[in-house]
Amino acid sequence: MKINQFAYVPTDHDQIVQELADVHFLTAKTKKMADPVMLYRQLLLKFFIEKQSLATRIQKVSNLMATPTLNAYEYTTTQSSVSKIAFYNVGLQLLGFEVGLDFELTDPLAAMKEYRLPTAIVDDTMDRKQVIDAWYKLLNTRTKFGQTLIDYLAGQGYYHQFFGTDDLKRPLIFNGKTQAVFDTSKLIHDVVYVEAPLDNDHDGKRDLLKAEIIRPADTETGLKVPVVFTASPYDQGTNDKQADDLTHDVNQEKLVRKQPNNLIYDDIKFDYDNSNLPAPRVVKETSQAAEESFVKTWTYTLNDYFLARGFAVVYSSGVGTKDSDGVRTTGTPDETLSATSIIEWLHGDRNAFTNRNDQIGIKAWWSNGNVGMTGRSYLGTLSTAAAMTGVDGLKTAVVEAGISNYYDYYRENGLVVAPGGFQGEDADVLGELTFSREQSAADYLKIKDTWLDQLKHLTSGQDRATGSYNSFWDNRNLLKNVNIKADMLLVHGLNDWNVKLSHVYNLRNTLKKENITQKLVLHQGQHEYLNNFRSVDFTDIVNLWLTNKLLDVDNQANQIVPDVLVQDNAEPETWTTYKDWGGPVEEIALDDKRWTDLNENHSFSDQLPDDLFKEYISNTKKWQKALFTKSHSKLDKHSVKLVSEPLDHDITVDGRPEITLRATSSADLGLLSAALVDYGDEKRLTAVPQVLSAQQIITGYQWRKDDLKEFLPEKKVTAYKKFTDAHMNMQNRTNNYKSDDLKPGQYYNFTMAFQPTFWRLLKGHQLGIIIYATDMDYTIRSNQDISYTIDLGASKIELPLLGSDDNQQ
């Protein structure tokens, strides 16, 4: 068990005293106590919430052991000093660790070190000042169940005892982070309809977009609060059956040969034009009261966490969703505008109405004008899209697994390549899935023909026949026009094969050129949220970040949050900070003596026996095993397998590897795939998090709960792990929109960038390069009679490798 912390703010003693007074651990009386033992006793008694009787609190303190023979209350009534060992014996128990199971009373400091818990720099015998400083640090230490101790206390009702009084600041800042001092039992739920500068259903009226608002009751009495906004196209419902029915068949007779062309970018460039708009609605009267309320069926627990801390939370699904106007466009600037319109209203720059018909205007009078966006996947994608516009009011975005270019989501180097786990999905399928206006019968009847026309446009524009980049995809490249002002916190899974790592890698490299602050967190998961993990204080990082960006608190967030924070793949619950992502490149020829050609071949056929082809289609895990195993398999003649000699030291592939293959196809078309594999018997981490303790995390008093999770080692040893791959249509060797000629039997150079990664291979492991064609998990499956030949002597791989400790923060 390792409970890493990266969001603690170093604080001087005078500030500590002030903050402990703000949270009522220090009072006018205790501030004057000179005796450290007496002060320590009062702090412990306060920990157990003063609405309980003194006898009850004494009993609870007595349940804690300070030494092998004295409980904590006995200790504070019989001893003349506070020892560091006794303090941390009690502290570990307050943090939820059990004596005899998690630590021994004879050496609590060893447990603190083992669990990576911060220890105050104090003497073995602590004076009054050191007791105060150590208590402050303990309150800001994470418990066995992943929360800081002060957050745990908030969930137990520590702050609630002061509700109804003027004794707590609102917002309340403790160690640079906002505290759960707002009453979540009195939250206000409003619905408004924001008018967007869009008419994407072409009905002659500007599109109205439904926004659902949850805000603290304190806003009714004048408090203006920052806003956490999540743009979620799934929020109003999804059309799962219709989307499934629309999913494309990837088992095709053949890969399509493309007509060679000499296209340049200007030939396929898309210029978005939204100037021909209907006039905005006239505001006939205004109101401060929303007309509609709502009951939330889905929330993001990170957003719930901030509701208890005095932030408002807004959800909006955007154009083409239930109770809003427009149609779905899967990634165009129309969807971006539907997100920025909500932000503009929150900032005071756009109109909204209390209902869809009466033109009664309503302002976000309760908002302080500062907005931060949150969300994963499509939600994170819209956060990126909105940030790229430079819209006023958006101060930051926490982007988890967001798309930065839709072409890279559904295509790769001229190939139709599915997002992991969704073979046959495409832009039209996602459009249908999220077009929740379809669920309102009368509304859908009005819009049906418009939507069916739009769906045809999506299907034709995405061009599954060639897989090439075109104007359809250029209109969905979020990195094309950058005017960013918001600071960015980017989060991505190193095992995410849905939104692959090229998205965050390319986004980050684009942002490096901009005058903003950006941070990056890379974890070992697939397509996962990170706010409920034991081994990293992600929620606290986000709290520190949003407190700085949205409340303008000078809490050193830019300096304290690591530039790059990476979870190690080889050692559980281990996180390391780095200055950057991307190491110096080592170039290695594929005929280098360090490689062994397992199949002793440099040519392979892509065509499988018909029964084997059908077997692998029905069970791609069997195909994976046959392809990646070092042992002889049914795919030996259908791939080239190169394996390095055992490593004499650990190496870390840090960044985006690149492979150049000099190759031929026996046909006038073809595709190439390559994978990097870590060979070595290990119990590797699960890419799907395991629940450590159900509903253990409490985000506020009598408020939402969440499961505590972690990526844990698998129960069984595995022999290998694919950690990155690459794919290319051989007719797109120049770029993804120019179709090159391909002559059978003629050698060409094909340079493919792998998905970026940060992967440590242990000493004794072997690095494998697997070269093949059809990828059963991602590409079109045609089973054509095509053979490929690789000139290994003229081929190479470029590996970015983590260097010395120079990159480590």
Side-chain angles (χ1 to χ4, degrees):
M1 185 191 316
K2 297 173 186 174
I3 306 176
N4 303 281
Q5 289 193 227
F6 299 96
Y8 178 76
V9 181
T11 308
D12 64 42
H13 179 72
D14 289 343
Q15 182 65 24
I16 285 173
V17 170
Q18 179 59 55
E19 290 187 20
L20 286 173
D22 288 343
V23 299
H24 296 303
F25 266 109
L26 286 180
T27 63
K29 178 181 178 181
T30 52
K31 278 183 180 180
K32 297 176 181 178
M33 287 182 179
D35 182 358
V37 181
M38 185 181 297
L39 174 60
Y40 181 45
R41 181 169 67 248
Q42 291 305 310
L43 293 173
L44 288 172
L45 290 170
K46 267 193 166 292
F47 183 90
F48 291 105
I49 305 177
E50 289 180 289
K51 67 180 181 181
Q52 300 172 113
S53 68
L54 178 60
T56 297
R57 288 184 285 132
I58 289 174
Q59 180 59 49
K60 290 185 176 182
V61 174
S62 300
N63 286 339
L64 306 169
M65 294 300 293
T67 73
T69 58
L70 292 175
N71 70 48
Y73 193 74
E74 291 172 335
Y75 183 88
T76 60
T77 55
T78 63
Q79 302 300 299
S80 59
S81 62
V82 179
S83 75
K84 184 177 182 179
I85 288 179
F87 182 91
Y88 281 106
N89 273 334
V90 174
L92 279 165
Q93 292 166 79
L94 294 179
L95 293 170
F97 295 92
E98 295 182 46
V99 176
L101 178 65
D102 299 313
F103 76 103
E104 300 298 333
L105 292 169
T106 53
D107 195 359
L109 299 179
M112 296 289 290
K113 183 177 180 180
E114 177 186 352
Y115 301 140
R116 304 281 181 94
L117 301 173
T119 306
I121 301 173
V122 294
D123 297 332
D124 290 340
T125 299
M126 299 162 62
D127 62 21
R128 175 186 178 278
K129 178 179 178 181
Q130 290 176 339
V131 167
I132 290 173
D133 290 354
W135 185 256
Y136 177 83
K137 196 156 207 172
L138 184 67
L139 290 175
N140 287 292
T141 299
R142 300 178 72 217
T143 72
K144 183 178 178 179
F145 302 105
Q147 290 182 287
T148 59
L149 189 56
I150 192 69
D151 274 358
Y152 164 79
L153 272 179
Q156 299 304 307
Y158 178 81
Y159 292 126
H160 188 264
Q161 64 188 315
F162 306 111
F163 284 10
T165 73
D166 294 325
D167 289 346
L168 284 177
K169 296 178 180 178
R170 289 185 175 85
L172 175 61
I173 310 301
F174 191 68
N175 195 241
K177 295 172 277 290
T178 51
Q179 297 299 296
V181 295
F182 289 81
D183 190 347
T184 51
S185 69
K186 298 180 180 178
L187 293 170
I188 297 167
H189 294 66
D190 293 333
V191 173
V192 302
Y193 296 88
V194 176
E195 186 181 62
L198 289 167
D199 178 21
N200 95 330
D201 53 11
H202 310 297
D203 65 353
K205 295 179 287 186
R206 292 197 178 199
D207 295 335
L208 290 176
L209 307 173
K210 182 180 183 179
E212 297 176 329
I213 300 137
I214 312 173
R215 57 186 173 90
D218 306 64
T219 54
E220 290 291 293
T221 54
L223 180 68
K224 291 185 181 293
V225 297
V227 182
V228 175
F229 169 40
T230 296
S232 171
Y234 309 117
D235 195 46
Q236 295 296 320
T238 53
N239 305 319
D240 297 80
K241 183 181 184 303
Q242 296 94 318
D244 287 344
D245 291 344
L246 199 61
T247 300
H248 301 272
D249 183 5
V250 299
N251 303 318
Q252 301 293 319
E253 289 186 7
K254 61 181 181 179
L255 184 70
V256 174
R257 172 172 165 80
K258 307 181 191 186
Q259 184 64 36
N261 62 47
N262 289 302
L263 290 176
I264 61 174
Y265 174 65
D266 283 347
D267 294 326
I268 52 91
K269 181 181 178 182
F270 189 95
D271 293 314
Y272 179 74
D273 183 7
N274 189 44
S275 59
N276 188 22
L277 283 174
R281 290 168 177 78
V282 174
V283 178
K284 294 182 177 178
E285 57 181 287
T286 62
S287 173
Q288 278 203 324
E291 181 178 316
E292 294 181 44
S293 188
F294 66 99
V295 175
K296 199 75 190 141
T297 56
W298 174 89
T299 59
Y300 176 20
T301 53
L302 183 67
N303 292 355
D304 294 336
Y305 170 90
F306 281 102
L307 279 169
R309 286 154 180 80
F311 293 68
V313 172
V314 174
Y315 295 92
S316 182
S317 289
V319 288
T321 61
K322 189 176 180 181
D323 299 330
S324 294
D325 294 327
V327 293
R328 299 303 298 163
T329 63
T330 310
T332 71
D334 284 7
E335 293 183 2
T336 303
L337 279 170
S338 71
T340 56
S341 295
I342 306 298
I343 297 167
E344 288 173 327
W345 176 68
L346 293 166
H347 191 250
D349 305 325
R350 184 160 296 285
N351 287 332
F353 299 94
T354 59
N355 63 46
R356 296 180 52 83
N357 300 306
D358 293 334
Q359 295 174 232
I360 301 172
I362 184 168
K363 294 185 180 298
W365 47 267
W366 41 265
S367 166
N368 73 356
N370 293 337
V371 181
M373 293 188 74
T374 61
R376 182 196 69 192
S377 198
Y378 210 152
L379 291 59
T381 302
L382 287 165
S383 299
T384 297
M388 290 302 190
T389 69
V391 59
D392 288 343
L394 183 63
K395 301 298 184 180
T396 189
V398 182
V399 178
E400 300 188 61
I403 295 169
S404 60
N405 183 339
Y406 276 83
Y407 181 84
D408 294 339
Y409 186 65
Y410 288 118
R411 307 286 184 270
E412 186 177 351
N413 295 319
L415 279 177
V416 174
V417 175
F422 297 93
Q423 265 283 38
E425 192 197 293
D426 217 320
D428 54 352
V429 180
L430 185 57
E432 175 60 48
L433 178 71
T434 55
F435 182 61
S436 52
R437 285 187 75 177
E438 200 165 330
Q439 297 177 14
S440 296
D443 187 38
Y444 181 53
L445 185 63
K446 292 186 301 182
I447 198 72
K448 181 178 180 179
D449 289 343
T450 300
W451 170 241
L452 292 178
D453 285 344
Q454 168 67 1
L455 199 55
K456 289 178 183 178
H457 170 73
L458 290 173
T459 302
S460 62
Q462 68 196 9
D463 182 16
R464 288 184 67 86
T466 73
S468 292
Y469 191 83
N470 57 20
S471 59
F472 177 92
W473 296 113
D474 196 54
N475 192 32
R476 291 160 172 82
N477 181 357
L478 307 186
L479 304 181
K480 196 171 73 165
N481 299 307
V482 180
N483 181 35
I484 191 167
K485 295 183 289 187
D487 291 337
M488 303 288 278
L489 177 57
L490 310 178
V491 186
H492 218 101
L494 287 161
N495 285 289
D496 194 339
W497 294 103
N498 181 343
V499 179
K500 301 181 183 78
L501 280 132
S502 59
H503 293 278
V504 68
Y505 187 83
N506 293 336
L507 173 58
R508 185 168 183 273
N509 285 337
T510 297
L511 295 179
K512 284 182 179 180
K513 304 169 189 173
E514 305 300 318
N515 187 28
I516 64 161
T517 299
Q518 59 156 319
K519 306 290 183 178
L520 173 67
V521 180
L522 297 173
H523 60 81
Q524 285 299 320
Q526 295 178 345
H527 206 55
E528 308 291 344
Y529 280 120
L530 197 60
N531 59 294
N532 53 358
F533 279 71
R534 181 175 67 188
S535 67
V536 66
D537 57 336
F538 180 74
T539 298
D540 297 325
I541 288 172
V542 177
N543 190 333
L544 188 74
W545 187 256
L546 294 189
T547 298
N548 173 253
K549 307 304 174 187
L550 305 187
L551 285 169
D552 297 319
V553 173
D554 184 10
N555 59 9
Q556 307 171 56
N558 287 356
Q559 294 74 39
I560 289 170
V561 176
D563 290 335
V564 179
L565 178 61
V566 182
Q567 184 182 16
D568 190 75
N569 60 281
E571 187 176 348
E573 301 181 292
T574 299
W575 296 77
T576 307
T577 62
Y578 298 94
K579 297 174 185 176
D580 206 352
W581 182 22
V585 172
E586 180 179 345
E587 183 179 303
I588 310 172
L590 296 194
D591 67 346
D592 189 283
K593 63 181 181 181
R594 285 174 282 184
W595 305 109
T596 296
D597 186 346
L598 290 181
N599 299 332
E600 298 182 340
N601 68 322
H602 60 276
S603 296
F604 61 93
S605 170
D606 194 39
Q607 190 174 47
L608 301 174
D610 191 56
D611 58 344
L612 185 60
F613 179 70
K614 291 177 179 177
E615 180 182 356
Y616 286 158
I617 284 176
S618 64
N619 189 343
T620 63
K621 288 189 176 179
K622 285 187 177 180
W623 169 82
Q624 292 171 18
K625 184 177 181 180
L627 180 66
F628 296 130
T629 182
K630 285 197 298 180
S631 305
H632 288 296
S633 77
K634 295 177 181 179
L635 289 181
D636 283 357
K637 295 180 181 179
H638 304 280
S639 62
V640 174
K641 298 184 181 181
L642 306 178
V643 177
S644 75
E645 56 195 10
L647 300 172
D648 59 10
H649 63 280
D650 290 6
I651 65 168
T652 298
V653 181
D654 170 20
R656 187 160 208 173
E658 195 169 87
I659 192 167
T660 298
L661 299 175
R662 186 153 182 81
T664 71
S665 168
S666 64
D668 58 1
L669 50 80
L671 72 155
L672 289 169
S673 299
L676 298 186
V677 182
D678 175 3
Y679 287 107
D681 291 344
E682 297 289 342
K683 290 184 177 180
R684 292 175 168 84
L685 295 182
T686 59
V688 176
Q690 308 302 300
V691 175
L692 300 178
S693 187
Q695 297 293 285
Q696 184 64 50
I697 299 172
I698 305 171
T699 58
Y701 181 62
Q702 295 182 348
W703 185 225
R704 304 275 197 257
K705 295 182 179 181
D706 202 1
D707 296 336
L708 182 71
K709 296 182 178 182
E710 193 55 64
F711 302 114
L712 297 177
E714 295 173 339
K715 294 180 180 179
K716 294 182 179 180
V717 168
T718 55
Y720 59 85
K721 165 87 174 183
K722 181 195 83 170
F723 61 92
T724 185
D725 65 16
H727 309 87
M728 175 176 278
N729 189 311
M730 296 175 79
Q731 286 194 261
N732 289 88
R733 60 184 180 272
T734 301
N735 57 48
N736 54 22
Y737 50 82
K738 182 180 182 296
S739 297
D740 298 303
D741 195 9
L742 190 73
K743 297 185 184 301
Q746 183 168 324
Y747 279 98
Y748 302 92
N749 288 334
F750 303 91
T751 298
M752 295 185 285
F754 288 94
Q755 291 300 318
T757 189
F758 199 106
W759 192 265
R760 183 158 67 105
L761 291 91
L762 297 175
K763 178 182 177 181
H765 282 211
Q766 295 170 283
L767 173 63
I769 303 174
I770 314 299
I771 303 165
Y772 55 109
T774 297
D775 191 317
M776 293 288 182
D777 285 322
Y778 298 108
T779 68
I780 298 295
R781 308 160 178 160
S782 63
N783 206 34
Q784 285 170 269
D785 184 11
I786 304 176
S787 295
Y788 301 90
T789 301
I790 312 296
D791 181 352
L792 295 177
S795 302
K796 64 180 180 179
I797 188 167
E798 296 179 55
L799 287 174
L801 298 176
L802 182 66
S804 64
D805 292 338
D806 291 344
N807 188 36
Q808 195 165 326
Q809 282 192 328

